């Protein structure tokens, strides 16, 4: 197999080729590293690409493959499907000895002293880490424009955002730099960038994956989950990382189903799963200001499900409207507590003012180290937690959170297997179009963050294009229903296997090869200058 071809394979196709001896982990790693290094100038999806470490892991994976092959078919098939497969990690996941910036200046120079639980699990599976991906600072954002290390371009149109906060992880998979990557989702940061980049992304049930070794944003909402270019690959990655870990007391002792590795390969078999299933279509998710063409794609997807034998009925989740407000009290409150640890002494960046006292150093470190959005969240959070406001805001938000969860419980109790909804009200938007107005940016997550508030699993899968840019369909299930969601998503994927948009390469990718072209930061600056010149342009 030619080295140039292997980046176009899905992870399960790579796994088959490895077992058949048609390729090696080193060949896979090398081809993906070459592509990532060549295109990172144009995409800025990676904060570090670690060729040396990746090749060491790839060689170790090849050695294991060789001895398994000698031991026979059973040993070969006992290897995890991720064995020898390149993976990208969002740069808030600790890898021993490596950087872990969380997209912030304040963690510049910090080296992780240990592996995250999921990194241990992926090492056991034999996965090969190519590097760390770009992200919004401390995972706060919906566009990846709030990274201290510059924005990321969307491979479909380099002048638009990939979504956030896991924008680097999503762009890297969409651009074929890796078949798989990991992100975190606190209010939508896996599903929304998956939708905007035209790939699959899942936020598992709260407690499904251990957060040990992950930089915390809002601890009652954060979950880790997979990005992939198809549903089977995403399920295999979740299989590798899910499960109880005593070091994260919120990780649940729920068994990880072996069937996650056995989703049907055959399209007819996959689609047959839909017969007799019931889906709810939450009316409140068709929010005001939603792009009408995105709505059209969602309604067409519903028709696909119905034609395949499922019933889809409208359902009401009446407290949806309060999701945004309660999230923006809860998440900043928890963030303000979690971010108190960046004091200039224990981690990374540190300012020492000559002769000044400790408090002055602390203020200077945080003043320099944090970006504007992070400071905004810390202020919102400390305000909501301060004496006199705690009951009015924080406690009230927790009560509304219970009501949001109850809406979902009632829908599932009424017999719906899952809910079907848009992932994001719009497709990828141009750089700068929402940064001046925090509320318009926050609205990007109106359809995803209630799911985090309720602790439920949700998956985004590609369902077509709007003016050449990908649209995501979201499926939401009861707690611990990841396997069912993957089956439903696999069925939808099978139904649309013949669609014209399915095999398309991201349209901007051809431009990403130009080593002399503009960086995402230069594109953003150029657009900002153009917007400032346009008469009457919104600022
Ligand atoms: N966009 C939301 C925020 O800025 C969600 C981010 C996330 O899921 N990490 O908080």
């Amino acid at each position: 197999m030619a080295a140039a071809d292997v980046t176009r394979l899905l992870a399960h196709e790579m796994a088959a080729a490895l077992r058949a001896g048609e390729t090696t982990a080193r060949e896979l790693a090398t081809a993906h590293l070459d592509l990532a290094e060549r295109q990172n100038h144009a995409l800025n999806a990676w904060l570090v690409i670690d060729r040396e470490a990746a090749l060491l892991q790839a060689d170790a994976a090849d050695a294991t493959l060789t001895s398994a092959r000698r031991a026979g078919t059973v040993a070969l098939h006992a290897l995890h499907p991720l064995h020898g497969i390149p993976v990208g990690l969002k740069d808030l996941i600790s890898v021993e000895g490596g950087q872990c910036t969380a997209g912030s200046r304040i963690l510049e120079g910090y080296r992780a002293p240990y592996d995250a639980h999921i990194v241990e699990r992926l090492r056991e599976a034999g996965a090969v880490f190519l590097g760390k991906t770009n992200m919004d600072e401390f995972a706060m954002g919906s566009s990846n424009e709030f990274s201290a290390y510059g924005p990321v371009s969307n491979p479909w149109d380099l002048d638009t955002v990939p979504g956030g906060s896991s924008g680097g992880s999503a762009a890297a998979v969409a651009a074929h730099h890796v078949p798989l990557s990991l992100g975190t989702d606190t209010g939508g940061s896996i599903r929304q960038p998956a939708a905007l980049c035209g790939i699959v992304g899942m936020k598992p049930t709260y407690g499904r994956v251990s957060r040990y070794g992950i930089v915390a944003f809002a601890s009652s909402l954060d979950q880790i989950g997979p990005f992939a270019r198809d549903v089977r690959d995403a399920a295999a990655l979740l299989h590798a990382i899910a499960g109880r870990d005593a070091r994260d007391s919120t990780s649940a002792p729920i068994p990880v189903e072996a069937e996650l590795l056995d989703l049907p390969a055959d399209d007819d078999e996959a689609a047959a799963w839909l017969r007799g299933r019931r889906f709810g279509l939450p009316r409140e998710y068709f929010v005001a200001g939603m792009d009408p063409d995105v709505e059209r794609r969602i309604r067409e997807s519903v028709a696909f499900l119905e034609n395949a034998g499922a019933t889809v009925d409208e359902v009401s989740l009446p407290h949806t409207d309060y999701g945004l407000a309660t999230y923006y009290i809860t998440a900043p409150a928890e963030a303000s507590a979690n971010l108190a640890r960046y004091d200039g002494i224990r981690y990374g960046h540190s300012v020492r003012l000559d002769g000044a006292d400790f408090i002055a150093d602390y203020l200077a470190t945080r003043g320099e180290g944090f970006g504007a959005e992070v400071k905004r969240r810390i202020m919102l959070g400390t305000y909501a937690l301060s004496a006199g406001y705690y009951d009015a805001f924080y406690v009230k938000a927790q009560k509304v959170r219970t009501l949001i969860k109850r809406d979902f419980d009632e829908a599932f109790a009424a017999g719906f297997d899952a809910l079907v909804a848009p992932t994001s009200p719009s497709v990828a938007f141009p750089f700068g179009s929402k940064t001046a107005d925090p509320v318009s940016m926050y609205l990007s997550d109106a359809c995803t963050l209630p799911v985090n508030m309720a602790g439920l699993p949700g998956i985004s899968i590609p369902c077509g294009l709007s003016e050449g840019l990908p649209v995501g369909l979201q499926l939401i299930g009861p707690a611990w229903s990841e396997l069912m969601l993957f089956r439903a998503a696999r069925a939808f994927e099978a139904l649309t296997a013949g669609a014209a948009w399915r095999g398309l390469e991201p349209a901007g990718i051809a431009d990403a090869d130009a080593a002399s072209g503009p960086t995402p930061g230069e594109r953003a600056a150029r657009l900002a200058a153009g917007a400032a010149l346009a008469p009457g342009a919104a600022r």
Side-chain angles (χ1 to χ4, degrees):
M1 195 176 292
D5 292 336
V6 293
T7 63
R8 264 48 202 166
L9 298 178
L10 294 163
H12 61 82
E13 294 168 338
M14 292 178 202
L18 282 170
R19 278 156 188 70
E22 293 163 7
T23 187
T24 61
R26 177 174 264 268
E27 184 188 16
L28 292 177
T30 304
H32 287 90
L33 287 163
D34 289 350
L35 185 62
E37 282 170 357
R38 194 165 78 229
Q39 295 185 338
N40 206 37
H41 170 82
L43 292 177
N44 201 27
W46 298 87
L47 294 181
V48 57
I49 300 171
D50 194 342
R51 178 175 285 266
E52 206 181 316
L55 292 181
L56 278 174
Q57 291 173 61
D59 288 345
D62 281 331
T64 311
L65 264 163
T66 307
S67 48
R69 196 171 293 120
R70 250 185 243 126
T73 332
V74 177
L76 204 51
H77 288 279
L79 296 175
H80 195 276
L82 260 48
H83 189 93
I85 306 296
V87 174
L89 302 173
K90 187 176 182 177
D91 201 22
L92 47 43
I93 299 171
S94 302
V95 177
E96 187 181 343
Q99 72 171 52
C100 190
T101 64
S104 183
R105 286 272 169 239
I106 211 156
L107 278 169
E108 208 164 30
Y110 167 74
R111 296 271 144 190
Y114 56 84
D115 279 345
H117 174 74
I118 56 169
V119 167
E120 292 175 0
R121 296 291 306 267
L122 287 169
R123 287 194 199 282
E124 283 160 25
V128 175
F129 308 132
L130 298 201
K132 305 294 288 292
T133 56
N134 202 346
M135 58 180 285
D136 282 306
E137 186 174 2
F138 286 104
M140 297 171 189
S142 309
S143 68
N144 222 121
E145 293 170 287
F146 299 143
S147 166
Y149 305 96
V152 175
S153 275
N154 187 318
W156 288 84
D157 174 349
L158 302 185
D159 282 335
T160 70
V161 306
S165 64
S166 313
S169 291
V173 169
H176 294 256
H177 298 178
V178 268
L180 296 168
S181 67
L182 286 172
T184 55
D185 190 316
T186 304
S189 282
I190 294 173
R191 289 159 290 157
Q192 186 254 13
L196 271 48
C197 289
I199 60 172
V200 177
M202 172 181 264
K203 175 228 170 282
T205 311
Y206 184 76
R208 181 60 104 163
V209 181
S210 165
R211 292 171 296 119
Y212 176 78
I214 311 299
V215 177
F217 164 10
S219 307
S220 77
L221 299 160
D222 298 343
Q223 259 300 286
I224 300 148
F227 287 105
R229 285 190 299 271
D230 90 340
V231 173
R232 292 164 69 198
D233 285 1
L237 182 50
L238 182 68
H239 179 272
I241 61 169
R244 168 75 181 156
D245 164 30
R247 296 166 298 186
D248 174 357
S249 59
T250 66
S251 86
I254 304 273
V256 182
E257 298 97 332
E259 293 98 316
L260 286 169
L261 300 180
D262 256 338
L263 295 178
D266 180 72
D267 284 341
D268 292 334
E269 185 190 342
W273 182 88
L274 286 169
R275 256 177 254 134
R277 304 284 163 184
R278 286 191 64 203
F279 292 91
L281 187 67
R283 150 173 351 124
E284 293 82 0
Y285 279 54
F286 294 88
V287 293
M290 182 170 179
D291 179 338
D293 210 32
V294 169
E295 174 161 355
R296 237 167 268 138
R297 289 300 91 74
I298 304 302
R299 304 241 179 235
E300 287 162 13
S301 304
V302 165
F304 268 117
L305 296 172
E306 288 174 330
N307 290 340
T311 51
V312 185
D313 292 311
E314 232 185 49
V315 64
S316 175
L317 302 174
H319 296 93
T320 302
D321 250 8
Y322 305 107
L324 196 70
T326 48
Y327 174 86
Y328 277 97
I329 292 171
T330 307
E334 294 182 15
S336 71
N338 275 326
L339 269 55
R341 65 177 65 115
Y342 303 106
D343 52 12
I345 294 173
R346 288 177 287 182
Y347 301 93
H349 189 75
S350 177
V351 182
R352 292 268 178 270
L353 302 167
D354 278 345
D357 61 10
F358 160 71
I359 297 294
D361 290 352
Y362 174 83
L363 294 176
T365 298
R366 289 170 68 87
E368 266 183 24
F370 289 138
E373 182 61 24
V374 173
K375 288 176 184 161
R376 181 170 16 242
R377 305 287 180 108
I378 292 173
M379 282 192 281
L380 285 170
T382 42
Y383 181 80
L385 289 176
S386 56
Y389 294 109
Y390 179 82
D391 289 326
F393 293 113
Y394 187 74
V395 173
K396 191 66 150 283
Q398 296 318 301
K399 289 182 179 159
V400 179
R401 185 172 182 177
T402 304
L403 297 176
I404 292 173
K405 175 158 191 315
R406 198 172 298 159
D407 285 353
F408 286 108
D409 291 345
E410 282 168 8
F412 296 126
F416 291 113
D417 293 296
L419 304 179
V420 48
T423 304
S424 165
S426 75
V427 292
F429 41 90
F431 287 124
S433 56
K434 294 187 201 272
T435 39
D437 178 1
V439 176
S440 79
M441 183 75 87
Y442 296 170
L443 273 171
S444 311
D445 298 311
C447 302
T448 48
L449 44 86
V451 178
N452 300 70
M453 296 299 276
L456 301 177
I459 188 167
S460 181
I461 42 172
C463 70
L465 300 175
S466 168
E467 301 197 1
L469 294 173
V471 177
L473 180 74
Q474 184 177 205
L475 299 171
I476 303 162
W480 319 116
S481 70
E482 286 85 354
L483 178 60
M484 186 267 297
L485 286 182
F486 278 126
R487 285 187 171 136
R490 174 68 193 106
F492 183 79
E493 188 178 71
L495 292 179
T496 53
W501 50 269
R502 266 285 168 209
L504 293 179
E505 291 266 315
I509 218 59
D511 301 332
D513 272 331
S516 56
T519 63
E522 286 160 2
R523 286 178 185 275
R526 199 184 282 175
L527 282 171
L533 290 177
R539 300 194 45 85

